[in-house]
Amino acid sequence: MDKCIFCMIANGEIPTNKVYEDDRVIAFYDLEPQAPVHVLIVPKKHYESILAVPAEESCVVGHMFQVASKLAHELGIAEKGFRLVINTGKEGGQSVPHLHLHMTGGREHGWPAG
Ligand code: 5GP
Ligand code: ZN
């Protein structure tokens, strides 16, 4: 999609601090980290949010979580714990309209989330 910041990162138009990439997803460090480790796991295909993923393509969502699990080990946060979040829509706090999974770790997380 034109001028979508995460599509531009995914197709290499904008350089980023990448931690993982395969044919379906890219993962990179958040520009404004909210924790010592803050990675975004992003499908290369543009979906405006989780609501836009058709049932027949939902395996990409499982893959995003699988990549998060692998990265949690690699980035050293698996043992102590971490949080996975998909903000959705205005009240969900989504600011970039391209589906992404936040992974934050390296500090205590409160609950309920703000
Ligand atoms: P949301 O608020 O939509 O759940 O999350 C969007 C996230 O993307 C925010 O945490 C924000 O800091 C991050 N972000 C926005 N633009 C960029 C960018 O150009 N590069 C990177 N690495 N992160 C970005
Ligand atoms: Zn996009």
Side-chain angles (χ1 to χ4, degrees), residues 3-97:
K3 297 202 175 88
C4 168
I5 190 93
F6 286 179
C7 281
M8 291 169 86
I9 288 173
N11 67 27
E13 277 179 71
I14 297 177
T16 193
N17 199 349
K18 184 170 70 180
V19 287
Y20 176 84
E21 182 172 13
D22 63 27
D23 57 328
R24 287 183 285 168
V25 306
I26 184 167
F28 49 89
Y29 287 104
D30 197 290
L31 201 59
E32 294 179 37
Q34 302 301 314
V37 176
H38 188 172
V39 169
L40 301 173
I41 298 125
V42 179
K44 289 187 169 179
K45 182 168 177 180
H46 182 90
Y47 302 101
E48 191 167 321
S49 78
I50 190 70
L51 298 171
V53 180
E56 62 273 20
E57 295 177 27
S58 60
C59 59
V60 73
V61 179
H63 184 57
M64 290 162 67
F65 280 87
Q66 193 57 50
V67 168
S69 169
K70 168 186 150 64
L71 290 177
H73 285 102
E74 289 179 7
L75 299 175
I77 56 174
E79 195 174 327
K80 284 191 171 175
F82 56 92
R83 184 164 290 174
L84 298 173
V85 169
I86 299 178
N87 295 325
T88 304
K90 183 173 173 293
E91 290 200 355
Q94 183 178 5
S95 62
V96 175

